[in-house]
Amino acid sequence: MQTYLQSFNILSPAEIDVFTANATTRVLKRGEFFITEGKVCKEVAFIKSGILRSYYTSASAEEYTYCLTFPNQFMTAYSSLITGNPTVENIQAMSDVDLLIIKKEVIDDLAESSINGLKLLKIIAEQQYLHLEKRVFMYQKDAAKARYLELFKSYPDYIKQIPVKYLASFLAITPRHLSRLRKEII
């Protein structure tokens, strides 16, 4: 996490030290949850290793995977963290996951005590928005094969760890279609 924070060239070494000193470790086994629907999110996770899947359950009890998060990225139930309202999403470990956890109070303190902290949070929020926008455009513009290839190009070692049904849901295709795409690409 320290290297990730340094990459922004915003926080001073002392600010990074305070931030990382307040992080605690948590390990999730495959299938365990970071947060479940109906709970208020009060922390942010930095993924040291492993994969997290964010999904929601429809009224017909179908699960829709809308986000996969990989190592060296932050993850949280963002709208719940901001509003203090219960989340509508579930964040689940797709593999054993090593996390660094930062409490919301630590983040809020950084934003209040440091203009650099506020700048960093702004940039991270902007990155989240851009990531979401890219996903929306990708679903509307790109074919399923292009979506799969983009994910494969970015995270080839991790794709194998995600069950087909979740990967297919993330790509907005059926598991059968995903199997055909994989065969075609090989």
Side-chain angles (χ1 to χ4, degrees):
M1 181 169 60
Q2 189 168 9
T3 303
Y4 179 79
L5 293 172
Q6 288 169 340
S7 72
F8 290 99
N9 293 317
I10 294 174
L11 297 180
S12 70
E15 290 167 327
I16 290 173
D17 288 345
V18 168
F19 197 75
T20 56
N22 284 291
T24 58
T25 59
R26 183 180 302 161
V27 174
L28 297 178
K29 296 291 182 194
R30 182 183 181 134
E32 290 183 335
F33 289 87
F34 173 70
I35 192 163
T36 55
E37 181 178 357
K39 295 185 178 168
V40 176
C41 188
K42 298 178 182 177
E43 54 193 20
V44 174
F46 182 80
I47 304 172
K48 289 171 53 178
S49 66
I51 307 164
L52 292 176
R53 167 180 86 111
S54 301
Y55 72 93
Y56 63 91
T57 306
S58 70
S60 61
E62 277 192 71
E63 291 180 6
Y64 290 93
T65 300
Y66 68 89
C67 186
L68 297 170
T69 310
F70 301 95
N72 299 313
Q73 296 178 351
F74 283 107
M75 169 50 88
T76 191
Y78 201 53
S79 59
S80 178
L81 185 78
I82 293 169
T83 64
N85 294 328
T87 186
V88 296
E89 69 183 296
N90 301 282
I91 301 176
Q92 182 183 34
M94 289 289 88
S95 61
D96 290 350
V97 180
D98 236 348
L99 304 171
L100 290 174
I101 303 296
I102 301 103
K103 298 284 185 193
K104 183 177 185 333
E105 298 84 42
V106 172
I107 294 167
D108 290 344
D109 287 348
L110 181 64
E112 289 175 21
S113 66
S114 162
I115 191 72
N116 291 340
L118 199 54
K119 286 178 186 177
L120 177 67
L121 294 177
K122 177 182 175 282
I123 288 171
I124 290 173
E126 289 169 348
Q127 286 182 340
Q128 290 297 311
Y129 172 79
L130 293 171
H131 180 72
L132 177 62
E133 183 181 76
K134 180 181 177 183
R135 294 243 329 121
V136 169
F137 291 155
M138 180 179 70
Y139 280 126
Q140 294 176 347
K141 183 177 168 252
D142 296 340
K145 184 176 181 179
R147 294 193 302 266
Y148 177 77
L149 286 172
E150 174 67 26
L151 190 62
F152 185 79
K153 182 178 85 175
S154 299
Y155 305 103
D157 296 332
Y158 297 106
I159 297 301
K160 300 170 194 157
Q161 298 176 41
I162 302 168
V164 169
K165 69 179 183 176
Y166 301 137
L167 188 55
S169 175
F170 176 73
L171 294 168
I173 58 177
T174 65
R176 187 175 176 182
H177 189 181
L178 177 57
S179 294
R180 281 194 302 254
L181 279 177
R182 284 179 159 173
K183 286 178 187 173
E184 182 182 318
I185 290 167
I186 292 173

